[in-house]
């Protein structure tokens, strides 16, 4: 649950005088998102989202994130667009924090995704990957394989508080992934956090993508692995191959996978599961009891990781492999 | 911070089919309020607030609250208006809870009220008290003097954890107020919780009142005592008599006080301070550490109570008393 920063009336109205969006008529803190403080603004000209970037966001990355939203919107992706102030700046400061105003997107996220949603997310991800081509700023993935060992180091002593034996399993997995992580797959800009709460639908049709604050340059198919993890498992922990097939078929209809990408999918899914297991484990152990945040269960991703270990080819996810028969 | 209840997509869309407000195009949980779950809905026809009543609200009181908002809106008070479904019902059920949709009010609350705001709140409170005349449902004030001893009983053992000696002071005050609480003052419908976050302003002008979920029948001037406590103290704990004078003058311009009401003001202010001290003390001691609520400091109201003990007449609050000279 967000809204970490209180903004005084004076600060907010001073900030808004820099923009040509009309006078403020309403302002509500939004109880979603866990990284930043978000406010829904109503002004005389429309609705906007005001975001204050909290400490987890590196200020140096903001030109990447804001530039990317502009780049994608110019190429037909329906995503929030940064509003520029009268000096042409998209990034300001409010209440001692970097702050931006972006356009408001209609649409709602689905809490229980169905097969049709998964198919549309696959298609949208392929469109996103193509639209990201030509974006000139680069950002490395700080939560990629090189980032996992130091991230795990912060929780290693206490991993077994969550589940006996978890520490040992994570270490084995880290070693496996260091040795088996693919090289030379097609790269580009990935969203890296395209969970259901970041995808909007209107009347069953995908209408927009939000929250580009984990976006970075990495293997494109790693983004697909993140989405398979986030969208295609049932609440009981079982992988739903019908959803997986819909997502993969949606993706490949827009951007066919190379053989190397198909071969790498099981390992990338393991890596994607471990990445969210590690950040959730860290947050689980480190979040003080009184914090205004709902903690996410790291073991959900541990179960997903165990499933991926049983997958030997991309057909485990529903991909139709050449020569695999009908 | 609110939003306690998760609503599934299916439940929400089923619920909305009962209303004539157009299809849903956005839904955001609002991070304000501490009693209920609130969502800002955007539909094809406008904006609305969806409220799910959590356990603190007695379901039997809802016809009073909803009927009151209708009654007040009919008499020109700008407050949220319950939207009726096709069967004419303002109260429905969603996610196992009583639920209503009300109209959305533009406007923002002021975090640091100035003299002008206090004056306008006084005027609005008098208008509210007059508009409440003729409302046919009654609701007793469960947080009035009879409610304080049982409320305190829940925290008595642990009051001194908050401040050494607090328990003894509360007991002395309870005894004083039981003996000195006024009788036979003018009664009517009071808001009973008109804090700054429940009053909206637009361009410096008071534009609306919200959150009628503590409203009840009680002495009208007790509502004014609650507002003096909520609006006219500075962050450092000092009473600002200029603000008090503005509020009292705003109120009496719409509804003059009787002599008995003026005489009773210091005692009513003590009672109002004790009432919020007691509920905050209870919440402070009873809220589990992991709860998604920001606890409010009970000692803020202890300090206010101590100030009121020094007040012998209503002139301590800025009221110009007959014969008190210029």
């Amino acid at each position: 649950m967000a809204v970490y920063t209180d903004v005084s009336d004076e600060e907010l109205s001073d900030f808004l005088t820099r923009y040509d969006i009309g006078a403020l008529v309403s302002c509500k803190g939004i109880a979603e998102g866990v990284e930043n403080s978000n406010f829904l603004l109503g002004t005389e000209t429309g609705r906007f989202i005001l975001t204050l970037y909290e400490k987890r966001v590196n200020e140096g990355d903001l030109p990447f994130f804001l530039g990317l939203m502009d780049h994608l919107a110019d190429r037909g992706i329906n995503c929030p667009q940064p509003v520029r102030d009268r000096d042409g700046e998209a990034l300001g400061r409010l209440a001692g924090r970097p702050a931006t105003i972006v356009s408001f997107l209609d649409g709602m996220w689905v809490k229980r995704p169905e097969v049709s949603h998964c198919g549309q997310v696959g298609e949208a991800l392929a469109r996103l990957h193509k639209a990201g081509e030509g974006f000139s700023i680069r950002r490395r993935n700080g939560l990629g394989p090189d980032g996992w060992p130091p991230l795990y180091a912060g929780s290693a002593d206490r991993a077994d508080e969550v589940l006996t034996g978890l520490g040992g399993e994570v270490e084995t997995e880290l070693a496996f992934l260091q040795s088996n992580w693919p090289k030379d797959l097609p790269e580009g800009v990935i969203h890296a956090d395209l969970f259901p709460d970041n995808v909007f639908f209107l009347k069953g049709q995908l209408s927009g993508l939000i929250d580009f604050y984990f976006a970075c340059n990495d293997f494109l198919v790693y983004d697909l692995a993140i989405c398979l993890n986030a969208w295609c498992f049932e609440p009981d922990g079982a992988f739903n191959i019908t959803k997986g097939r819909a997502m993969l078929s949606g993706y490949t209809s827009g951007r066919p996978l190379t053989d190397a990408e198909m071969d790498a999918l099981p390992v990338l899914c393991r890596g994607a599961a471990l990445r969210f297991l590690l950040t959730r484990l860290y947050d689980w152990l480190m979040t003080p009891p009184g914090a205004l945040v709902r903690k996410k269960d790291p073991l959900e991703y541990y179960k997903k990781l165990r499933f991926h270990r049983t997958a030997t080819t991309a057909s485990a996810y529903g991909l139709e492999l050449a020569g695999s028969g009908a």
Side-chain angles (χ1 to χ4, degrees), chain A:
Chain A
M1 245 186 248
V3 184
Y4 296 91
T5 299
D6 282 327
V7 181
S8 78
D9 310 330
E10 294 76 15
E11 283 173 310
L12 181 57
S13 48
D14 284 357
F15 182 75
L16 291 174
T17 57
R18 298 176 42 203
Y19 294 84
D20 260 330
I21 58 173
L24 192 63
V25 294
S26 65
C27 174
K28 305 274 182 213
I30 300 177
E32 289 179 12
V34 291
E35 299 291 328
N36 299 314
S37 296
N38 291 299
F39 299 86
L40 174 51
L41 306 182
T43 78
E44 291 166 341
T45 65
R47 285 174 297 166
F48 302 89
I49 299 285
L50 164 67
T51 300
L52 272 65
Y53 299 98
E54 302 294 340
K55 61 181 191 318
R56 271 207 181 183
V57 172
N58 178 346
E59 201 165 341
D61 288 333
L62 290 173
F64 175 90
F65 300 138
L66 299 176
L68 177 62
M69 288 188 264
D70 270 333
H71 180 93
L72 294 172
D74 284 349
R75 279 152 189 83
I77 301 294
N78 193 28
C79 65
Q81 264 192 285
V83 176
R84 293 176 181 277
D85 67 14
R86 293 201 186 81
D87 298 330
E89 290 294 325
L91 182 60
R93 275 198 95 77
L94 178 57
R97 285 165 177 72
T100 57
I101 295 174
V102 300
S103 56
F104 179 87
L105 247 56
D106 272 337
M108 284 147 308
W109 64 276
V110 288
K111 297 201 179 61
R112 271 193 270 166
E114 293 165 14
V115 173
S116 151
H117 301 116
C118 297
Q120 293 183 66
V121 169
E123 292 169 20
L125 190 70
R127 280 199 302 275
L128 183 72
H129 288 168
K130 287 177 154 179
E133 290 172 9
F135 181 55
S136 57
I137 318 180
R138 288 184 59 85
R139 177 174 182 262
R140 66 178 284 276
N141 188 358
L143 292 171
D146 296 344
W148 300 335
L151 176 60
Y152 176 63
S155 335
D157 290 350
R158 297 176 53 201
D160 281 25
E161 289 177 23
V162 175
L163 181 75
T164 307
L166 184 62
E169 288 223 43
V170 167
E171 281 160 35
T172 306
E173 188 67 23
L174 280 170
F176 171 84
L177 291 172
Q178 295 292 346
S179 309
N180 292 277
W181 199 246
K183 293 178 178 62
D184 300 326
L185 297 177
E187 290 192 2
V189 178
I190 69 168
H191 184 286
D193 195 40
L194 201 59
F195 277 61
D197 55 342
N198 289 331
V199 180
F200 285 176
F201 289 85
L202 277 172
K203 298 186 178 170
Q205 299 302 304
L206 191 148
S207 62
L209 307 177
I210 65 165
D211 198 349
F212 289 80
Y213 300 111
F214 287 94
C216 55
N217 294 82
D218 205 334
F219 298 146
L220 296 174
V221 68
Y222 178 61
D223 221 6
L224 187 55
I226 291 171
C227 287
L228 285 166
N229 274 296
W231 290 82
C232 303
F233 284 83
E234 296 302 309
D236 68 3
F239 183 75
N240 183 325
I241 197 165
T242 310
K243 292 180 177 174
R245 186 176 293 122
M247 177 170 282
L248 290 164
S249 146
Y251 187 85
T252 54
S253 72
R255 181 182 167 270
L257 295 177
T258 66
D259 288 349
E261 285 180 305
M262 288 191 233
D263 290 346
L265 197 58
V267 170
L268 292 168
C269 283
R270 286 171 72 159
L274 184 70
R275 172 255 181 267
F276 288 97
L277 167 57
L278 290 177
T279 47
R280 288 185 176 194
L281 178 65
Y282 184 87
D283 290 344
W284 191 267
L285 294 171
M286 302 304 163
T287 304
L292 298 171
V293 171
R294 254 180 229 178
K295 297 192 285 189
K296 292 175 183 160
D297 183 6
L299 295 181
E300 179 190 333
Y301 270 81
Y302 172 68
K303 289 178 203 141
K304 291 177 180 179
L305 175 60
R306 290 177 68 104
F307 168 78
H308 297 308
R309 284 185 187 152
T310 69
T312 49
T313 71
S315 64
Y317 304 107
L319 194 73
E320 314 241 339
L321 301 178
S324 67

